[in-house]
Amino acid sequence: MEYHIIKNIAIPMRDQTILYADLYMPATNGIFPVVIMRTPYNKDNFDQEWLYSNPEAWLKEGYCLLIQDTRGCCRSEGILRSTGESEVADGYDTVEWAAAQPWCDGNVGMYGLSYFGWTQYAAAEGCPPHLRAICPYMNASLLPFSVNECKAVGSLHMYWLYSQALTRLDFLDMAEEKREQIRSALTTNLEHLDELLFPLPLKNTKAAHVEGVPLLEDYIALVEGAEKKSFWDTGHHPVKIEQMTTPMLHLTGWFDMAKDGTIRQYLAGKCNSVVGDKQKLIIGPWFHGGALTDRVDDLFFGPQASGKAMKMDQMMIRWMDRWLKRKENNVDNEPEVLYFMLGSNTWKSASVFPPAGTAYRTWYLDSRGGSQKDNGRLSNHIPPQDGIRQYVYDPQKPVRSDFKDSQGRQLAADLREQEIREDILTFTSDPLEEGLPVTGEVKLTLHVSTTAVDTDFICRLTDVEPQGRVTGYTWGMCRTRFLDNGFEPKLLTPGEKIRLEISLGFISTYFEKGHRIGLEIMSSFYPAVNRNTNSGLPSGIAAQCIKATQQIFFGETQPSALSLPVETC
């Protein structure tokens, strides 16, 4: 179809910084509702996968599409901060600028995933009067970028900074010789970034110091600020969902690193009386990004598993039709939650999440006897005798979160090859006599002790097939100096027994008959979270690594237990 593109429109922000955008317009004359994508990934390369790179789909339905480089990215002026501290004001200003243009009918929506999912939450927090609906996908806006609830920091942050620095480089006003010097330094460092990020303390990493690239120093601010409330507040985190008035269509996948954040944002929205019933939540068998494929590694989920098969692009348009055009298109009457159950490979719907009729069932940690490394047991009954299993955690030899098995699989790796490590404890149930549908938040109670004043306990739910393959699902952790989820660290008395309540996040999976429920317990998951040195010092400055002996207790007086949300109807 024919349409018009107006490149590099200058949009002034309230501080006079100019952000640049491209406008896609229908060829016919008129005024139209406008859908905005605010991205840090270069509007000139508008090819963020099929879900986002098809302007004709929007134009055909009578929308204008505005794609904007966010502050400090590519053509836009200003300074990029990975905290996103400017996005509330910039989002508000962009929405209201678009609404006032002669080609806009006053109705504005936003869409996008990951960082440009965050730009939507940020804009909605400011409550711009003309923002009618958003589609924030695969984003955890309740937490600072690359920080989790335990104040642990992920190395992904530095990879993102390097990518942004390289993308921005061609747009900077500098001598070509200097530009190529910086490009060479960034490219060389990027090839060895895993090695550069490993030495301690984190704040001294050489990767953060490339002359002419101050953006990389954001990583130092992150590792030094992750444990401080003032840092969280500076980045507008957590996003204030309680004050939003904008309908939201949330989407994530069970293999998406932002799945728990996306789901928690939907749940937070349910507590908002204005938007609580103006939300949708879609969870597929997908990993992070807009591909929304029907497989992960060698796991094939069926022809209806992909985002294309489920017409997720059309779902966004229908969502905008409902709120920007006020069409009566039955969106309100469709189920609020659509989720894919792994294992059974089926789509299911519900009016709430977790679905009504879900009840927790408990599996208690126990010992099968034999050597220390023998698999522990998950039993439906509290073991009559108390027991202990232990391992030694060495921060210099962490368990890798990016582990690949001998077949090159990562998200669906066979974890048997990693579970041979002495610092991973495993517990498995007996083979299931009937299938078990699990949907919701997985919870774990652990009775533990450590020889350190501070340490991590990281746990993962697994599915153990009759042939032995172990597939990892959802995981969670506890950093003991932040047991109360506050910002004041509290150190342990070495050897003291403590009780931990750990969320392993959300999942929907069907454990087939003959399969076994599995649980892994370890103390590192690097580089997804930074290594705990066991010293009790803040992550940014901790340098000395101390080995710790970790003990897991179970039995009648210390019932460590895994709780699974089981669908009962």
Side-chain angles (χ1 to χ4, degrees):
M1 63 175 293
E2 292 186 6
Y3 57 88
H4 302 306
I5 304 177
I6 304 176
K7 300 286 291 184
N8 300 318
I9 299 174
I11 304 177
M13 299 295 103
R14 63 189 65 180
D15 63 355
Q16 306 310 308
T17 299
I18 302 298
L19 306 188
Y20 288 91
D22 296 342
L23 176 66
Y24 297 75
M25 298 181 63
T28 56
N29 294 326
I31 58 173
F32 309 93
V34 178
V35 179
I36 298 172
M37 179 193 294
R38 304 191 61 249
T39 176
Y41 301 128
N42 194 351
K43 66 178 178 57
D44 294 336
N45 294 329
F46 179 45
D47 57 358
Q48 296 103 346
E49 300 160 329
W50 67 273
L51 193 60
Y52 298 111
S53 59
N54 186 8
E56 290 189 12
W58 291 100
L59 300 172
K60 181 181 177 182
E61 297 300 326
Y63 290 90
C64 287
L65 189 60
L66 187 72
I67 312 298
Q68 182 189 61
D69 286 334
T70 52
R71 180 178 294 248
C73 294
C74 303
R75 295 189 182 276
S76 287
E77 298 177 354
I79 298 173
L80 170 65
R81 289 283 180 253
S82 58
T83 54
E85 58 199 67
S86 66
E87 302 300 359
V88 173
D90 288 354
Y92 184 105
D93 292 351
T94 300
V95 167
E96 291 306 298
W97 176 90
Q101 300 311 301
W103 34 261
C104 179
D105 67 3
N107 295 287
V108 180
M110 298 180 72
Y111 78 129
L113 69 81
S114 198
Y115 189 96
F116 44 116
W118 151 240
T119 63
Q120 297 174 67
Y121 286 117
E125 178 181 306
C127 298
H130 294 91
L131 183 61
R132 308 298 186 212
I134 60 176
C135 297
Y137 289 3
M138 297 184 176
N139 175 266
S141 69
L142 296 177
L143 301 164
F145 182 18
S146 209
V147 177
N148 70 11
E149 295 90 339
C150 300
K151 287 75 177 178
V153 178
S155 293
L156 172 65
H157 189 272
M158 185 62 96
Y159 283 90
W160 189 85
L161 292 175
Y162 264 75
S163 173
Q164 290 305 110
L166 283 164
T167 302
R168 174 70 164 160
L169 192 56
D170 288 331
F171 297 91
L172 298 179
D173 183 14
M174 63 173 59
E176 193 62 26
E177 182 180 2
K178 179 64 173 176
R179 191 192 322 275
E180 291 310 309
Q181 287 176 351
I182 294 174
R183 193 190 313 277
S184 177
L186 289 171
T187 302
T188 299
N189 278 5
L190 188 58
E191 292 173 353
H192 302 281
L193 202 50
D194 190 62
E195 303 163 35
L196 291 173
L197 292 175
F198 195 78
L200 299 173
L202 296 178
K203 72 181 185 69
N204 288 349
T205 178
K206 294 179 180 179
H209 300 286
V210 174
E211 185 179 354
V213 192
L215 171 63
L216 301 181
E217 297 175 11
D218 268 21
Y219 179 78
I220 299 175
L222 178 81
V223 299
E224 291 188 319
E227 300 177 16
K228 300 175 183 177
K229 188 176 185 301
S230 58
F231 177 84
W232 288 49
D233 291 343
T234 298
H236 293 282
H237 294 91
V239 67
K240 298 177 178 63
I241 291 180
E242 70 278 2
Q243 69 186 39
M244 294 182 184
T245 59
T246 307
M248 296 179 279
L249 171 63
H250 313 264
L251 178 143
T252 186
W254 295 122
F255 298 90
D256 172 27
M257 58 190 175
K259 72 170 172 67
D260 293 327
T262 303
I263 294 170
R264 292 190 194 284
Q265 283 150 193
Y266 160 78
L267 294 174
K270 295 298 292 181
C271 299
N272 179 324
S273 60
V274 177
V275 300
D277 61 350
K278 298 175 182 176
Q279 296 188 109
K280 299 286 185 184
L281 173 65
I282 302 170
I283 316 170
W286 306 314
F287 49 83
H288 196 73
L292 308 186
T293 64
D294 55 17
R295 65 190 68 232
V296 170
D297 292 334
D298 65 336
L299 297 182
F300 176 58
F301 301 113
Q304 292 303 309
S306 74
K308 285 186 177 181
M310 296 300 291
K311 299 181 179 179
M312 288 298 111
D313 52 348
Q314 291 300 310
M315 182 62 195
M316 284 195 297
I317 292 173
R318 293 180 66 236
W319 185 251
M320 294 301 177
D321 283 348
R322 169 64 183 89
W323 299 108
L324 275 65
K325 295 183 177 180
R326 296 170 181 81
K327 278 189 178 181
E328 295 297 330
N329 56 6
N330 207 40
V331 164
D332 292 351
N333 298 322
E334 294 171 356
E336 186 169 301
V337 181
L338 180 67
Y339 64 99
F340 191 88
M341 178 172 280
L342 305 173
S344 66
N345 292 344
T346 54
W347 284 101
K348 307 186 76 172
S349 60
S351 58
V352 293
F353 191 85
T358 300
Y360 277 97
R361 288 174 55 182
T362 302
W363 279 260
Y364 295 93
L365 278 61
D366 197 357
S367 176
R368 294 186 185 274
S371 69
Q372 170 65 24
K373 188 53 188 169
D374 283 348
N375 282 354
R377 183 186 180 199
L378 294 175
S379 170
N380 292 123
H381 305 286
I382 299 177
Q385 295 184 345
D386 291 345
I388 302 174
R389 293 188 72 198
Q390 68 179 37
Y391 60 97
V392 175
Y393 161 48
D394 182 354
Q396 296 286 27
K397 301 176 181 178
V399 176
R400 299 286 305 201
S401 61
D402 56 359
F403 168 77
K404 290 185 179 181
D405 65 17
S406 57
Q407 303 299 313
R409 299 170 295 203
Q410 183 175 351
L411 292 176
D414 186 347
L415 297 176
R416 284 180 297 181
E417 299 177 21
Q418 191 178 46
E419 288 180 349
I420 62 173
R421 293 178 57 122
E422 295 291 331
D423 56 356
I424 300 178
L425 298 184
T426 58
F427 295 81
T428 55
S429 70
D430 292 334
L432 295 172
E433 296 181 358
E434 57 182 18
L436 188 76
V438 172
T439 300
E441 185 177 14
V442 178
K443 300 177 181 180
L444 180 66
T445 299
L446 279 187
H447 294 263
V448 304
S449 74
T450 176
T451 57
V453 295
D454 170 51
T455 197
D456 289 350
F457 288 94
I458 296 167
C459 311
R460 176 163 52 184
L461 179 71
T462 66
D463 186 343
V464 184
E465 299 178 10
Q467 297 78 17
R469 178 174 176 174
V470 179
T471 303
Y473 287 142
T474 189
W475 66 277
M477 68 175 291
C478 172
R479 180 153 288 180
T480 59
R481 69 178 182 271
F482 296 115
L483 270 177
D484 62 358
N485 294 323
F487 289 90
E488 189 65 35
K490 297 177 177 62
L491 301 184
L492 302 176
T493 300
E496 177 186 6
K497 286 186 181 180
I498 58 173
R499 173 189 169 114
L500 307 178
E501 299 290 343
I502 302 175
S503 170
L504 273 61
F506 297 89
I507 195 65
S508 180
T509 187
Y510 184 80
F511 288 93
E512 295 183 61
K513 177 181 178 180
H515 286 221
R516 292 180 291 158
I517 301 164
L519 174 68
E520 295 177 344
I521 300 176
M522 47 205 163
S523 288
S524 53
F525 206 50
Y526 179 85
V529 294
N530 70 292
R531 297 164 290 153
N532 194 323
T533 63
N534 298 325
S535 66
L537 294 174
S539 294
I541 65 172
Q544 181 185 6
C545 290
I546 302 169
K547 293 182 181 179
T549 299
Q550 321 287 51
Q551 292 188 318
I552 310 298
F553 302 96
F554 46 85
E556 191 169 11
T557 63
Q558 49 210 5
S560 294
L562 175 69
S563 296
L564 299 181
V566 178
E567 292 191 19
T568 58
C569 60

